[in-house]
Amino acid sequence: MHDELFKLQDLHAKPLKSDEHSLFLTHLPHHYYDENQPHAFMISETKDFHEAIRQANIFLPYVNN
């Protein structure tokens, strides 16, 4: 888990359009709640409305809290 948190911190420092963000958004389900939060944040920052809805529809079935 410790390594995962450092990866998440690194992810926050990168621009939202980076390859790391795209890769992170495709790895579902996340194992930790702390991974779901940045995932939801990245979806909320998506500029294209239809893309944001598409990403939310993929993500929401995995949210359990």
Side-chain angles (χ1 to χ4, degrees), residues 4-64:
E4 293 295 322
L5 288 177
F6 281 116
K7 289 178 188 175
L8 288 174
Q9 289 172 348
D10 290 343
L11 197 60
H12 284 293
K14 297 183 187 290
L16 278 174
K17 292 289 185 182
S18 71
D19 291 337
E20 288 89 355
H21 282 101
S22 298
L23 185 62
F24 179 76
L25 291 172
T26 61
H27 286 343
L28 288 168
H30 298 300
H31 297 286
Y32 303 104
Y33 174 76
D34 290 340
E35 294 172 315
N36 284 336
Q37 289 180 301
H39 192 127
F41 172 75
M42 285 182 238
I43 292 172
S44 75
E45 292 296 308
T46 302
K47 301 297 182 204
D48 182 322
F49 174 77
H50 296 290
E51 177 62 16
I53 295 298
R54 187 187 73 74
Q55 289 179 10
N57 285 332
I58 293 169
F59 177 59
L60 286 175
Y62 297 101
V63 176
N64 63 0

